[in-house]
PDB file of all heavy atoms in Angstrom:
ATOM      1  N   LEU A   1     -29.087 -49.496 -10.768  1.00 98.00           N
ATOM      2  CA  LEU A   1     -30.098 -49.546 -11.838  1.00 98.00           C
ATOM      3  C   LEU A   1     -31.055 -50.668 -11.615  1.00 98.00           C
ATOM      4  O   LEU A   1     -30.695 -51.763 -11.252  1.00 98.00           O
ATOM      5  CB  LEU A   1     -29.458 -49.686 -13.189  1.00 98.00           C
ATOM      6  CG  LEU A   1     -30.362 -49.534 -14.435  1.00 98.00           C
ATOM      7  CD1 LEU A   1     -30.913 -48.111 -14.599  1.00 98.00           C
ATOM      8  CD2 LEU A   1     -29.583 -49.886 -15.694  1.00 98.00           C
ATOM      9  N   GLY A   2     -32.364 -50.371 -11.684  1.00 98.00           N
ATOM     10  CA  GLY A   2     -33.446 -51.412 -11.662  1.00 98.00           C
ATOM     11  C   GLY A   2     -34.477 -51.135 -12.642  1.00 98.00           C
ATOM     12  O   GLY A   2     -34.491 -50.069 -13.308  1.00 98.00           O
ATOM     13  N   ILE A   3     -35.353 -52.084 -12.832  1.00 98.00           N
ATOM     14  CA  ILE A   3     -36.414 -51.904 -13.865  1.00 98.00           C
ATOM     15  C   ILE A   3     -37.791 -52.500 -13.323  1.00 98.00           C
ATOM     16  O   ILE A   3     -37.742 -53.581 -12.754  1.00 98.00           O
ATOM     17  CB  ILE A   3     -36.020 -52.580 -15.176  1.00 98.00           C
ATOM     18  CG1 ILE A   3     -37.110 -52.281 -16.285  1.00 98.00           C
ATOM     19  CG2 ILE A   3     -35.798 -54.092 -15.084  1.00 98.00           C
ATOM     20  CD1 ILE A   3     -36.703 -52.657 -17.692  1.00 98.00           C
ATOM     21  N   SER A   4     -38.821 -51.773 -13.579  1.00 98.00           N
ATOM     22  CA  SER A   4     -40.167 -52.310 -13.388  1.00 98.00           C
ATOM     23  C   SER A   4     -40.590 -52.846 -14.711  1.00 98.00           C
ATOM     24  O   SER A   4     -40.813 -52.110 -15.677  1.00 98.00           O
ATOM     25  CB  SER A   4     -41.079 -51.202 -12.934  1.00 98.00           C
ATOM     26  OG  SER A   4     -42.483 -51.679 -12.993  1.00 98.00           O
ATOM     27  N   ILE A   5     -40.787 -54.186 -14.754  1.00 97.00           N
ATOM     28  CA  ILE A   5     -41.249 -54.814 -16.011  1.00 97.00           C
ATOM     29  C   ILE A   5     -42.714 -54.428 -16.268  1.00 97.00           C
ATOM     30  O   ILE A   5     -43.078 -54.213 -17.419  1.00 97.00           O
ATOM     31  CB  ILE A   5     -41.134 -56.380 -15.921  1.00 97.00           C
ATOM     32  CG1 ILE A   5     -39.658 -56.725 -15.582  1.00 97.00           C
ATOM     33  CG2 ILE A   5     -41.523 -57.000 -17.197  1.00 97.00           C
ATOM     34  CD1 ILE A   5     -38.603 -56.209 -16.468  1.00 97.00           C
ATOM     35  N   ASN A   6     -43.482 -54.281 -15.186  1.00 96.00           N
ATOM     36  CA  ASN A   6     -44.896 -53.898 -15.351  1.00 96.00           C
ATOM     37  C   ASN A   6     -45.087 -52.544 -16.032  1.00 96.00           C
ATOM     38  O   ASN A   6     -45.867 -52.432 -17.003  1.00 96.00           O
ATOM     39  CB  ASN A   6     -45.550 -53.844 -13.987  1.00 96.00           C
ATOM     40  CG  ASN A   6     -45.735 -55.209 -13.337  1.00 96.00           C
ATOM     41  OD1 ASN A   6     -45.610 -56.192 -13.979  1.00 96.00           O
ATOM     42  ND2 ASN A   6     -46.051 -55.181 -11.985  1.00 96.00           N
ATOM     43  N   THR A   7     -44.378 -51.547 -15.555  1.00 97.00           N
ATOM     44  CA  THR A   7     -44.554 -50.231 -16.078  1.00 97.00           C
ATOM     45  C   THR A   7     -43.525 -49.818 -17.118  1.00 97.00           C
ATOM     46  O   THR A   7     -43.616 -48.725 -17.693  1.00 97.00           O
ATOM     47  CB  THR A   7     -44.486 -49.212 -14.874  1.00 97.00           C
ATOM     48  OG1 THR A   7     -43.182 -49.207 -14.389  1.00 97.00           O
ATOM     49  CG2 THR A   7     -45.492 -49.521 -13.835  1.00 97.00           C
ATOM     50  N   GLN A   8     -42.573 -50.671 -17.359  1.00 98.00           N
ATOM     51  CA  GLN A   8     -41.461 -50.348 -18.293  1.00 98.00           C
ATOM     52  C   GLN A   8     -40.731 -49.063 -17.969  1.00 98.00           C
ATOM     53  O   GLN A   8     -40.627 -48.100 -18.808  1.00 98.00           O
ATOM     54  CB  GLN A   8     -41.917 -50.388 -19.756  1.00 98.00           C
ATOM     55  CG  GLN A   8     -42.204 -51.751 -20.322  1.00 98.00           C
ATOM     56  CD  GLN A   8     -40.975 -52.609 -20.470  1.00 98.00           C
ATOM     57  OE1 GLN A   8     -40.200 -52.407 -21.401  1.00 98.00           O
ATOM     58  NE2 GLN A   8     -40.725 -53.494 -19.452  1.00 98.00           N
ATOM     59  N   THR A   9     -40.382 -49.001 -16.683  1.00 98.00           N
ATOM     60  CA  THR A   9     -39.682 -47.845 -16.170  1.00 98.00           C
ATOM     61  C   THR A   9     -38.332 -48.257 -15.570  1.00 98.00           C
ATOM     62  O   THR A   9     -38.255 -49.205 -14.795  1.00 98.00           O
ATOM     63  CB  THR A   9     -40.524 -47.140 -15.095  1.00 98.00           C
ATOM     64  OG1 THR A   9     -41.798 -46.821 -15.665  1.00 98.00           O
ATOM     65  CG2 THR A   9     -39.814 -45.876 -14.534  1.00 98.00           C
ATOM     66  N   LEU A  10     -37.335 -47.545 -15.923  1.00 98.00           N
ATOM     67  CA  LEU A  10     -35.919 -47.699 -15.352  1.00 98.00           C
ATOM     68  C   LEU A  10     -35.841 -46.824 -14.062  1.00 98.00           C
ATOM     69  O   LEU A  10     -36.407 -45.713 -14.120  1.00 98.00           O
ATOM     70  CB  LEU A  10     -34.844 -47.377 -16.269  1.00 98.00           C
ATOM     71  CG  LEU A  10     -34.682 -48.232 -17.554  1.00 98.00           C
ATOM     72  CD1 LEU A  10     -33.664 -47.608 -18.482  1.00 98.00           C
ATOM     73  CD2 LEU A  10     -34.229 -49.634 -17.160  1.00 98.00           C
ATOM     74  N   TYR A  11     -35.056 -47.278 -13.095  1.00 98.00           N
ATOM     75  CA  TYR A  11     -34.834 -46.499 -11.849  1.00 98.00           C
ATOM     76  C   TYR A  11     -33.317 -46.471 -11.710  1.00 98.00           C
ATOM     77  O   TYR A  11     -32.693 -47.513 -11.603  1.00 98.00           O
ATOM     78  CB  TYR A  11     -35.560 -47.041 -10.701  1.00 98.00           C
ATOM     79  CG  TYR A  11     -37.078 -46.958 -10.754  1.00 98.00           C
ATOM     80  CD1 TYR A  11     -37.768 -47.967 -11.383  1.00 98.00           C
ATOM     81  CD2 TYR A  11     -37.727 -45.865 -10.298  1.00 98.00           C
ATOM     82  CE1 TYR A  11     -39.216 -47.911 -11.455  1.00 98.00           C
ATOM     83  CE2 TYR A  11     -39.130 -45.743 -10.397  1.00 98.00           C
ATOM     84  CZ  TYR A  11     -39.822 -46.791 -10.975  1.00 98.00           C
ATOM     85  OH  TYR A  11     -41.222 -46.673 -11.099  1.00 98.00           O
ATOM     86  N   THR A  12     -32.735 -45.264 -11.583  1.00 97.00           N
ATOM     87  CA  THR A  12     -31.336 -45.132 -11.285  1.00 97.00           C
ATOM     88  C   THR A  12     -31.130 -44.422  -9.983  1.00 97.00           C
ATOM     89  O   THR A  12     -31.939 -43.596  -9.603  1.00 97.00           O
ATOM     90  CB  THR A  12     -30.614 -44.329 -12.389  1.00 97.00           C
ATOM     91  OG1 THR A  12     -30.929 -42.937 -12.231  1.00 97.00           O
ATOM     92  CG2 THR A  12     -31.063 -44.772 -13.769  1.00 97.00           C
ATOM     93  N   THR A  13     -30.082 -44.849  -9.267  1.00 95.00           N
ATOM     94  CA  THR A  13     -29.715 -44.139  -8.038  1.00 95.00           C
ATOM     95  C   THR A  13     -28.516 -43.264  -8.284  1.00 95.00           C
ATOM     96  O   THR A  13     -27.636 -43.570  -9.186  1.00 95.00           O
ATOM     97  CB  THR A  13     -29.364 -45.119  -6.892  1.00 95.00           C
ATOM     98  OG1 THR A  13     -28.238 -45.906  -7.329  1.00 95.00           O
ATOM     99  CG2 THR A  13     -30.554 -46.036  -6.625  1.00 95.00           C
ATOM    100  N   ASN A  14     -28.382 -42.185  -7.494  1.00 88.00           N
ATOM    101  CA  ASN A  14     -27.275 -41.296  -7.576  1.00 88.00           C
ATOM    102  C   ASN A  14     -26.839 -40.962  -6.162  1.00 88.00           C
ATOM    103  O   ASN A  14     -27.487 -40.176  -5.514  1.00 88.00           O
ATOM    104  CB  ASN A  14     -27.594 -40.102  -8.349  1.00 88.00           C
ATOM    105  CG  ASN A  14     -26.442 -39.072  -8.427  1.00 88.00           C
ATOM    106  OD1 ASN A  14     -25.322 -39.412  -8.006  1.00 88.00           O
ATOM    107  ND2 ASN A  14     -26.632 -37.918  -8.934  1.00 88.00           N
ATOM    108  N   SER A  15     -25.761 -41.593  -5.660  1.00 74.00           N
ATOM    109  CA  SER A  15     -25.346 -41.327  -4.263  1.00 74.00           C
ATOM    110  C   SER A  15     -24.684 -39.929  -4.190  1.00 74.00           C
ATOM    111  O   SER A  15     -24.554 -39.435  -3.069  1.00 74.00           O
ATOM    112  CB  SER A  15     -24.416 -42.381  -3.842  1.00 74.00           C
ATOM    113  OG  SER A  15     -23.252 -42.460  -4.637  1.00 74.00           O
ATOM    114  N   ARG A  16     -24.333 -39.285  -5.283  1.00 77.00           N
ATOM    115  CA  ARG A  16     -23.708 -37.992  -5.220  1.00 77.00           C
ATOM    116  C   ARG A  16     -24.758 -36.943  -4.899  1.00 77.00           C
ATOM    117  O   ARG A  16     -24.541 -36.097  -4.001  1.00 77.00           O
ATOM    118  CB  ARG A  16     -23.072 -37.664  -6.614  1.00 77.00           C
ATOM    119  CG  ARG A  16     -21.865 -38.496  -6.967  1.00 77.00           C
ATOM    120  CD  ARG A  16     -21.347 -38.109  -8.364  1.00 77.00           C
ATOM    121  NE  ARG A  16     -20.395 -39.139  -8.872  1.00 77.00           N
ATOM    122  CZ  ARG A  16     -19.999 -39.115 -10.204  1.00 77.00           C
ATOM    123  NH1 ARG A  16     -20.504 -38.231 -11.041  1.00 77.00           N
ATOM    124  NH2 ARG A  16     -19.160 -40.047 -10.594  1.00 77.00           N
ATOM    125  N   SER A  17     -25.904 -36.975  -5.601  1.00 82.00           N
ATOM    126  CA  SER A  17     -26.895 -35.907  -5.391  1.00 82.00           C
ATOM    127  C   SER A  17     -28.046 -36.459  -4.511  1.00 82.00           C
ATOM    128  O   SER A  17     -28.867 -35.620  -4.077  1.00 82.00           O
ATOM    129  CB  SER A  17     -27.522 -35.482  -6.759  1.00 82.00           C
ATOM    130  OG  SER A  17     -28.154 -36.604  -7.402  1.00 82.00           O
ATOM    131  N   GLY A  18     -28.063 -37.712  -4.291  1.00 89.00           N
ATOM    132  CA  GLY A  18     -29.037 -38.269  -3.318  1.00 89.00           C
ATOM    133  C   GLY A  18     -30.413 -38.392  -3.928  1.00 89.00           C
ATOM    134  O   GLY A  18     -31.397 -38.277  -3.159  1.00 89.00           O
ATOM    135  N   ILE A  19     -30.531 -38.649  -5.201  1.00 93.00           N
ATOM    136  CA  ILE A  19     -31.874 -38.750  -5.833  1.00 93.00           C
ATOM    137  C   ILE A  19     -32.002 -40.123  -6.564  1.00 93.00           C
ATOM    138  O   ILE A  19     -30.988 -40.760  -6.763  1.00 93.00           O
ATOM    139  CB  ILE A  19     -32.184 -37.652  -6.828  1.00 93.00           C
ATOM    140  CG1 ILE A  19     -31.238 -37.705  -8.066  1.00 93.00           C
ATOM    141  CG2 ILE A  19     -32.099 -36.239  -6.193  1.00 93.00           C
ATOM    142  CD1 ILE A  19     -31.582 -36.729  -9.158  1.00 93.00           C
ATOM    143  N   VAL A  20     -33.270 -40.489  -6.784  1.00 96.00           N
ATOM    144  CA  VAL A  20     -33.606 -41.602  -7.630  1.00 96.00           C
ATOM    145  C   VAL A  20     -34.297 -41.046  -8.849  1.00 96.00           C
ATOM    146  O   VAL A  20     -35.193 -40.253  -8.703  1.00 96.00           O
ATOM    147  CB  VAL A  20     -34.423 -42.665  -6.904  1.00 96.00           C
ATOM    148  CG1 VAL A  20     -34.941 -43.698  -7.912  1.00 96.00           C
ATOM    149  CG2 VAL A  20     -33.646 -43.304  -5.800  1.00 96.00           C
ATOM    150  N   THR A  21     -33.873 -41.458 -10.075  1.00 96.00           N
ATOM    151  CA  THR A  21     -34.527 -40.979 -11.289  1.00 96.00           C
ATOM    152  C   THR A  21     -35.261 -42.129 -11.926  1.00 96.00           C
ATOM    153  O   THR A  21     -34.726 -43.195 -12.146  1.00 96.00           O
ATOM    154  CB  THR A  21     -33.460 -40.492 -12.226  1.00 96.00           C
ATOM    155  OG1 THR A  21     -32.816 -39.345 -11.640  1.00 96.00           O
ATOM    156  CG2 THR A  21     -34.099 -39.948 -13.539  1.00 96.00           C
ATOM    157  N   ALA A  22     -36.542 -41.888 -12.234  1.00 97.00           N
ATOM    158  CA  ALA A  22     -37.404 -42.820 -12.927  1.00 97.00           C
ATOM    159  C   ALA A  22     -37.383 -42.398 -14.443  1.00 97.00           C
ATOM    160  O   ALA A  22     -37.597 -41.232 -14.758  1.00 97.00           O
ATOM    161  CB  ALA A  22     -38.783 -42.813 -12.400  1.00 97.00           C
ATOM    162  N   ILE A  23     -37.153 -43.389 -15.308  1.00 97.00           N
ATOM    163  CA  ILE A  23     -37.111 -43.069 -16.787  1.00 97.00           C
ATOM    164  C   ILE A  23     -38.150 -43.938 -17.468  1.00 97.00           C
ATOM    165  O   ILE A  23     -38.049 -45.196 -17.468  1.00 97.00           O
ATOM    166  CB  ILE A  23     -35.704 -43.373 -17.355  1.00 97.00           C
ATOM    167  CG1 ILE A  23     -34.651 -42.571 -16.596  1.00 97.00           C
ATOM    168  CG2 ILE A  23     -35.693 -43.071 -18.805  1.00 97.00           C
ATOM    169  CD1 ILE A  23     -33.241 -42.977 -16.998  1.00 97.00           C
ATOM    170  N   ASP A  24     -39.154 -43.351 -18.055  1.00 98.00           N
ATOM    171  CA  ASP A  24     -40.224 -44.032 -18.760  1.00 98.00           C
ATOM    172  C   ASP A  24     -39.665 -44.464 -20.113  1.00 98.00           C
ATOM    173  O   ASP A  24     -39.292 -43.577 -20.923  1.00 98.00           O
ATOM    174  CB  ASP A  24     -41.442 -43.171 -18.930  1.00 98.00           C
ATOM    175  CG  ASP A  24     -42.643 -43.900 -19.554  1.00 98.00           C
ATOM    176  OD1 ASP A  24     -42.440 -44.542 -20.591  1.00 98.00           O
ATOM    177  OD2 ASP A  24     -43.723 -43.771 -18.999  1.00 98.00           O
ATOM    178  N   LEU A  25     -39.545 -45.761 -20.383  1.00 98.00           N
ATOM    179  CA  LEU A  25     -38.891 -46.165 -21.611  1.00 98.00           C
ATOM    180  C   LEU A  25     -39.757 -45.887 -22.850  1.00 98.00           C
ATOM    181  O   LEU A  25     -39.256 -45.800 -23.905  1.00 98.00           O
ATOM    182  CB  LEU A  25     -38.639 -47.698 -21.505  1.00 98.00           C
ATOM    183  CG  LEU A  25     -37.476 -48.112 -20.626  1.00 98.00           C
ATOM    184  CD1 LEU A  25     -37.394 -49.610 -20.530  1.00 98.00           C
ATOM    185  CD2 LEU A  25     -36.156 -47.556 -21.216  1.00 98.00           C
ATOM    186  N   ALA A  26     -41.047 -45.766 -22.666  1.00 97.00           N
ATOM    187  CA  ALA A  26     -41.929 -45.488 -23.774  1.00 97.00           C
ATOM    188  C   ALA A  26     -41.853 -44.024 -24.251  1.00 97.00           C
ATOM    189  O   ALA A  26     -41.825 -43.715 -25.490  1.00 97.00           O
ATOM    190  CB  ALA A  26     -43.363 -45.863 -23.478  1.00 97.00           C
ATOM    191  N   THR A  27     -41.754 -43.069 -23.301  1.00 96.00           N
ATOM    192  CA  THR A  27     -41.799 -41.687 -23.580  1.00 96.00           C
ATOM    193  C   THR A  27     -40.492 -40.970 -23.350  1.00 96.00           C
ATOM    194  O   THR A  27     -40.311 -39.840 -23.858  1.00 96.00           O
ATOM    195  CB  THR A  27     -42.886 -40.967 -22.733  1.00 96.00           C
ATOM    196  OG1 THR A  27     -42.428 -41.030 -21.350  1.00 96.00           O
ATOM    197  CG2 THR A  27     -44.185 -41.633 -22.905  1.00 96.00           C
ATOM    198  N   GLY A  28     -39.612 -41.563 -22.652  1.00 95.00           N
ATOM    199  CA  GLY A  28     -38.334 -40.903 -22.283  1.00 95.00           C
ATOM    200  C   GLY A  28     -38.447 -39.930 -21.073  1.00 95.00           C
ATOM    201  O   GLY A  28     -37.475 -39.318 -20.690  1.00 95.00           O
ATOM    202  N   LYS A  29     -39.708 -39.765 -20.583  1.00 97.00           N
ATOM    203  CA  LYS A  29     -39.888 -38.811 -19.452  1.00 97.00           C
ATOM    204  C   LYS A  29     -39.087 -39.283 -18.284  1.00 97.00           C
ATOM    205  O   LYS A  29     -39.023 -40.411 -17.872  1.00 97.00           O
ATOM    206  CB  LYS A  29     -41.330 -38.743 -19.059  1.00 97.00           C
ATOM    207  CG  LYS A  29     -41.655 -37.822 -17.938  1.00 97.00           C
ATOM    208  CD  LYS A  29     -43.104 -37.863 -17.488  1.00 97.00           C
ATOM    209  CE  LYS A  29     -43.349 -37.029 -16.232  1.00 97.00           C
ATOM    210  NZ  LYS A  29     -44.735 -37.130 -15.769  1.00 97.00           N
ATOM    211  N   GLN A  30     -38.372 -38.225 -17.640  1.00 96.00           N
ATOM    212  CA  GLN A  30     -37.626 -38.489 -16.450  1.00 96.00           C
ATOM    213  C   GLN A  30     -38.232 -37.795 -15.251  1.00 96.00           C
ATOM    214  O   GLN A  30     -38.642 -36.629 -15.313  1.00 96.00           O
ATOM    215  CB  GLN A  30     -36.231 -37.951 -16.620  1.00 96.00           C
ATOM    216  CG  GLN A  30     -35.436 -38.694 -17.732  1.00 96.00           C
ATOM    217  CD  GLN A  30     -34.019 -38.256 -17.799  1.00 96.00           C
ATOM    218  OE1 GLN A  30     -33.367 -37.862 -16.840  1.00 96.00           O
ATOM    219  NE2 GLN A  30     -33.450 -38.439 -19.003  1.00 96.00           N
ATOM    220  N   THR A  31     -38.396 -38.520 -14.151  1.00 96.00           N
ATOM    221  CA  THR A  31     -38.915 -37.991 -12.946  1.00 96.00           C
ATOM    222  C   THR A  31     -37.857 -38.187 -11.872  1.00 96.00           C
ATOM    223  O   THR A  31     -37.418 -39.311 -11.578  1.00 96.00           O
ATOM    224  CB  THR A  31     -40.179 -38.774 -12.472  1.00 96.00           C
ATOM    225  OG1 THR A  31     -41.117 -38.679 -13.516  1.00 96.00           O
ATOM    226  CG2 THR A  31     -40.825 -38.194 -11.235  1.00 96.00           C
ATOM    227  N   HIS A  32     -37.518 -37.087 -11.200  1.00 94.00           N
ATOM    228  CA  HIS A  32     -36.474 -37.098 -10.162  1.00 94.00           C
ATOM    229  C   HIS A  32     -37.143 -37.147  -8.791  1.00 94.00           C
ATOM    230  O   HIS A  32     -37.943 -36.305  -8.435  1.00 94.00           O
ATOM    231  CB  HIS A  32     -35.542 -35.950 -10.293  1.00 94.00           C
ATOM    232  CG  HIS A  32     -34.952 -35.776 -11.679  1.00 94.00           C
ATOM    233  ND1 HIS A  32     -34.059 -36.713 -12.200  1.00 94.00           N
ATOM    234  CD2 HIS A  32     -35.169 -34.818 -12.688  1.00 94.00           C
ATOM    235  CE1 HIS A  32     -33.687 -36.336 -13.440  1.00 94.00           C
ATOM    236  NE2 HIS A  32     -34.387 -35.276 -13.749  1.00 94.00           N
ATOM    237  N   ILE A  33     -36.797 -38.214  -8.049  1.00 95.00           N
ATOM    238  CA  ILE A  33     -37.494 -38.488  -6.810  1.00 95.00           C
ATOM    239  C   ILE A  33     -36.489 -38.225  -5.669  1.00 95.00           C
ATOM    240  O   ILE A  33     -35.333 -38.712  -5.696  1.00 95.00           O
ATOM    241  CB  ILE A  33     -37.935 -39.949  -6.751  1.00 95.00           C
ATOM    242  CG1 ILE A  33     -38.768 -40.262  -8.006  1.00 95.00           C
ATOM    243  CG2 ILE A  33     -38.705 -40.226  -5.514  1.00 95.00           C
ATOM    244  CD1 ILE A  33     -38.958 -41.741  -8.283  1.00 95.00           C
ATOM    245  N   LYS A  34     -36.952 -37.490  -4.648  1.00 93.00           N
ATOM    246  CA  LYS A  34     -36.171 -37.169  -3.483  1.00 93.00           C
ATOM    247  C   LYS A  34     -36.823 -37.801  -2.225  1.00 93.00           C
ATOM    248  O   LYS A  34     -38.049 -37.764  -2.122  1.00 93.00           O
ATOM    249  CB  LYS A  34     -35.995 -35.637  -3.312  1.00 93.00           C
ATOM    250  CG  LYS A  34     -35.205 -34.988  -4.411  1.00 93.00           C
ATOM    251  CD  LYS A  34     -34.998 -33.558  -4.132  1.00 93.00           C
ATOM    252  CE  LYS A  34     -34.129 -32.853  -5.196  1.00 93.00           C
ATOM    253  NZ  LYS A  34     -33.936 -31.457  -4.948  1.00 93.00           N
ATOM    254  N   ALA A  35     -35.959 -38.273  -1.363  1.00 90.00           N
ATOM    255  CA  ALA A  35     -36.432 -38.872  -0.094  1.00 90.00           C
ATOM    256  C   ALA A  35     -36.482 -37.739   0.938  1.00 90.00           C
ATOM    257  O   ALA A  35     -36.074 -36.608   0.662  1.00 90.00           O
ATOM    258  CB  ALA A  35     -35.601 -40.002   0.328  1.00 90.00           C
ATOM    259  N   ASP A  36     -36.924 -38.110   2.167  1.00 80.00           N
ATOM    260  CA  ASP A  36     -36.800 -37.186   3.279  1.00 80.00           C
ATOM    261  C   ASP A  36     -35.355 -37.096   3.702  1.00 80.00           C
ATOM    262  O   ASP A  36     -34.428 -37.713   3.125  1.00 80.00           O
ATOM    263  CB  ASP A  36     -37.756 -37.539   4.389  1.00 80.00           C
ATOM    264  CG  ASP A  36     -37.517 -38.926   4.987  1.00 80.00           C
ATOM    265  OD1 ASP A  36     -36.398 -39.447   4.817  1.00 80.00           O
ATOM    266  OD2 ASP A  36     -38.421 -39.562   5.505  1.00 80.00           O
ATOM    267  N   ALA A  37     -35.091 -36.353   4.699  1.00 75.00           N
ATOM    268  CA  ALA A  37     -33.744 -36.101   5.143  1.00 75.00           C
ATOM    269  C   ALA A  37     -32.905 -37.353   5.559  1.00 75.00           C
ATOM    270  O   ALA A  37     -31.752 -37.311   5.486  1.00 75.00           O
ATOM    271  CB  ALA A  37     -33.715 -35.060   6.326  1.00 75.00           C
ATOM    272  N   ASP A  38     -33.672 -38.328   5.956  1.00 77.00           N
ATOM    273  CA  ASP A  38     -32.937 -39.562   6.435  1.00 77.00           C
ATOM    274  C   ASP A  38     -32.477 -40.454   5.275  1.00 77.00           C
ATOM    275  O   ASP A  38     -31.528 -41.259   5.499  1.00 77.00           O
ATOM    276  CB  ASP A  38     -33.861 -40.365   7.322  1.00 77.00           C
ATOM    277  CG  ASP A  38     -34.215 -39.673   8.653  1.00 77.00           C
ATOM    278  OD1 ASP A  38     -33.269 -38.914   9.121  1.00 77.00           O
ATOM    279  OD2 ASP A  38     -35.272 -39.888   9.174  1.00 77.00           O
ATOM    280  N   GLY A  39     -33.054 -40.350   4.149  1.00 77.00           N
ATOM    281  CA  GLY A  39     -32.800 -41.294   3.046  1.00 77.00           C
ATOM    282  C   GLY A  39     -31.647 -40.856   2.157  1.00 77.00           C
ATOM    283  O   GLY A  39     -31.758 -40.628   0.968  1.00 77.00           O
ATOM    284  N   ARG A  40     -30.479 -40.779   2.768  1.00 81.00           N
ATOM    285  CA  ARG A  40     -29.260 -40.313   2.042  1.00 81.00           C
ATOM    286  C   ARG A  40     -28.557 -41.465   1.291  1.00 81.00           C
ATOM    287  O   ARG A  40     -28.676 -42.586   1.670  1.00 81.00           O
ATOM    288  CB  ARG A  40     -28.347 -39.656   2.998  1.00 81.00           C
ATOM    289  CG  ARG A  40     -28.921 -38.512   3.743  1.00 81.00           C
ATOM    290  CD  ARG A  40     -27.940 -37.724   4.694  1.00 81.00           C
ATOM    291  NE  ARG A  40     -27.483 -38.641   5.715  1.00 81.00           N
ATOM    292  CZ  ARG A  40     -28.107 -38.901   6.853  1.00 81.00           C
ATOM    293  NH1 ARG A  40     -29.291 -38.334   7.076  1.00 81.00           N
ATOM    294  NH2 ARG A  40     -27.628 -39.722   7.798  1.00 81.00           N
ATOM    295  N   ALA A  41     -27.820 -41.024   0.241  1.00 85.00           N
ATOM    296  CA  ALA A  41     -26.920 -41.997  -0.511  1.00 85.00           C
ATOM    297  C   ALA A  41     -27.627 -43.215  -0.947  1.00 85.00           C
ATOM    298  O   ALA A  41     -27.218 -44.354  -0.575  1.00 85.00           O
ATOM    299  CB  ALA A  41     -25.736 -42.280   0.378  1.00 85.00           C
ATOM    300  N   PRO A  42     -28.662 -43.110  -1.809  1.00 94.00           N
ATOM    301  CA  PRO A  42     -29.261 -44.321  -2.410  1.00 94.00           C
ATOM    302  C   PRO A  42     -28.288 -45.096  -3.212  1.00 94.00           C
ATOM    303  O   PRO A  42     -27.475 -44.548  -3.974  1.00 94.00           O
ATOM    304  CB  PRO A  42     -30.425 -43.789  -3.251  1.00 94.00           C
ATOM    305  CG  PRO A  42     -29.960 -42.435  -3.648  1.00 94.00           C
ATOM    306  CD  PRO A  42     -29.195 -41.885  -2.535  1.00 94.00           C
TER     307      PRO A  42
END
């Protein structure tokens, strides 16, 4: 788990599914980010 203080966004990693999820703290919107084939197990 990490946080951008500037944008007030949380970032979570998931080594099971291989994605990073951005969570906007103001709106609750979640954005699921995928890397290319090399970026496994964040």
Side-chain angles (χ1 to χ4, degrees):
L1 187 66
I3 185 169
S4 169
I5 305 302
N6 290 345
T7 65
Q8 286 294 281
T9 302
L10 294 171
Y11 293 89
T12 76
T13 63
N14 178 9
S15 59
R16 295 176 192 167
S17 63
I19 65 173
V20 171
T21 299
I23 305 171
D24 187 311
L25 286 174
T27 66
K29 178 184 176 183
Q30 297 185 27
T31 303
H32 305 295
I33 307 165
K34 294 183 179 180
D36 58 26
D38 292 328
R40 300 181 299 278

